[in-house]
Amino acid sequence: MASVPTTFLLVRDPVAGQAVVPLLPGERVTLGRAPSNRIVLHDEQASRFHAEIFGAAAGWSIRDLKSRNGTLVGGEPLSTDRVLMPGDIVTVGRVEIVVCDGEPAAASTGEADGLGGTATGEMPEELEAWHASITHRRAKSRLLDDIREAAGTAPRVGRAAAELCRLAFSLGRANDLKAVASLALESAMQGAGAIRGIVLLPEQIGERSAAPRQDATGPAYGLTQTVAVPADWPSTAVPTGVIAAVLGTDEAVLARAAAPNGGRVAGISAPIRLGGHAVGILHLEVDGQQREATPDDLEFVMAVCDALGLAIDNLAAREVLSSQLARSTDENEQLRRRLGEEWRMIGSSAGLQTIVGQIERVAATKATVLIRGESGAGKELVARAIHEASSRRTAPFVCMNCAALSETLLESELFGHEKGAFTGATERKAGKFEAAHKGTLFLDEIGEMSPGIQAKFLRVLEGHPFERVGGSARVQVDVRVVAATNRHLEEAVEAGDFRRDLYFRLKVVEIFVPPLRKRPDDIAILAAHFLKRFAMEAGRRVHGFTPEATAAMLAYHWPGNIRELRNSIERAVVLSQGEWIDASELALSHLASAGDTGRMPMGHPSPFTPTTLDEMERKQVLATLEAVGGNKTKAAAILGIERSTLDRKMARWAKE
């Protein structure tokens, strides 16, 4: 009667040695560190109750008991129950359990008919020979930890430290994966005296799995040859089981075996770790006839692999930062273009061209600029144009409305405050002056600044340092101030509401922004610009304005200036039901114009008296000259014409 084949487990534990455990029908075999297990695993990576092997309909199966570090079967992580076949290798840390058929006695002694044949599918002779040749294992290099004590007594340790230092600098200068791998391999071969070497890494370096993958052909487990010396040394030359053992146990090994030519060769294999996981391997071969590989060589190669892993991590982080920087630069450029479009000065009137010329002349200087004009006429636009045309354009442009805050809050916003300066000041805060350092500070409604702050503001304008509210430290900044107002500062000075010295300090360069009603040539251009912009934002198909709408905009006095025009166009685009905007959809108001000073005229308007355009122009020019004290240059700027044009008109009127 033929004997029934026997299934047993060949346990290879580096601590306890080799043992044979037969599998008996109806029996459950447990594996783990706890003494109550049938197979006690002497490895720190094993859990107390790690896995179990039990009988099933299809044969013997293995199940992982939710262990901390997992169980490998044939190099693959075990996720569900799996039927075991003869020749399967179960790996838990450094412990290997081989499923065998046959006589346990033959298997335990390692006889050829027990382990050498392939009929039973048991452990291949080559793999068995390699495991038996391992002489040293290391999970972590102690070379750098003990360097201070060892370097003084062991010259070789000092040389190793110097080589690692040189390698670190070289790796820091390398710019790609192949370069860092070549540097590390060269250093490892030189330090260990190796004759051959290879670096195997995943195809995608972002893969951080601690377990080797069996989805590639050959023993590479998903790894590819990154560099090798000699260059044609194939990855298949790495002994069978080396990659699975090194990646599975996260340990470096030193093995000695006989070479094909009759000599002896030593193999040093160390894991390359990324993010704390072993994902690659550096393998060296040392000619035993030239020198004997030592555990110190193993320590050095592990240190090189650790440095290589850090360099690869740094390369990956550098690539991420580089892509993020490129993306941020592109986004910033797009935002800058959009911002430039948002603040682009649009129009063709003589008044606008005069302002553009003044901006070009004043932007190159450090002079303080005072911009005057009605609310909504575009004073902030002029200020930003000055900033963008100056050498400070790469620095901040900070805006602040002096009329929007009380005196205490305005001082804190301008100059900052220290922690505890007042109720609610829970931490130090930098003011607008500090925020605009090296850039431009635009102060709108400067005429509303209280007299108490004007003195401190004047000192900063004169270049003196200032102190934060509640502080004593002196703060020095380099800021260009551009101020704006729609008030008559001269009247405020006469009334004592505005400091005379501050008025003259602000009025180094004065730019007058004419109201929209004095720039009729720009109305249609601005309306078309806003229509295109808001139609695109709202996703509406609007072709333009009807002739009645265009005539209404040209006849309207626009008391709110460009701001009112912008809001009217946006409202019309949103509410329009057709493809052409009509006059009724503009919803123009009936407010009176504020006037150039920002003050509303008192009383009722006088009855309309028909007159010629030439007469109206003459009255306007003469009234403007009278208002500015006969200063023709200033009058021409206010009127939006050249000085020579004003002289010709005055000469013609004098002859009439």
Side-chain angles (χ1 to χ4, degrees), residues 346-349 352 516-533 543-547 549-556 558 562 565-566 569 586:
I346 298 172
S348 60
S349 65
L352 181 62
L516 185 58
R517 62 183 172 276
K518 292 189 176 181
R519 299 163 46 192
D521 296 343
D522 296 338
I523 294 177
I525 301 175
L526 287 167
H529 168 75
F530 290 135
L531 176 67
K532 180 180 178 181
R533 172 183 168 185
H543 297 310
F545 303 94
T546 63
T550 302
M553 288 189 292
L554 293 176
Y556 186 57
W558 297 109
I562 300 176
L565 173 63
R566 177 186 183 278
I569 302 300
L586 294 172

Side-chain angles (χ1 to χ4, degrees), residues 137-151:
R137 293 177 180 265
R138 293 287 188 274
K140 182 181 178 182
S141 172
R142 298 185 298 272
L143 180 60
L144 296 182
D145 295 338
D146 304 334
I147 194 66
R148 292 184 177 178
E149 293 76 13

Side-chain angles (χ1 to χ4, degrees), residues 539-574:
R540 303 291 301 275
R541 180 177 295 180
V542 183
H543 297 310
F545 303 94
T546 63
E548 293 77 11
T550 302
M553 288 189 292
L554 293 176
Y556 186 57
H557 55 283
W558 297 109
N561 293 295
I562 300 176
R563 182 183 294 118
E564 183 184 4
L565 173 63
R566 177 186 183 278
N567 295 339
S568 296
I569 302 300
E570 183 176 12
R571 179 175 58 250
V573 169
V574 172

Side-chain angles (χ1 to χ4, degrees), residues 317-332:
R318 192 187 308 172
E319 289 180 5
V320 171
L321 290 175
S322 178
S323 61
Q324 289 178 347
L325 179 61
R327 185 166 58 251
S328 298
T329 303
D330 184 59
E331 291 174 354
N332 289 339

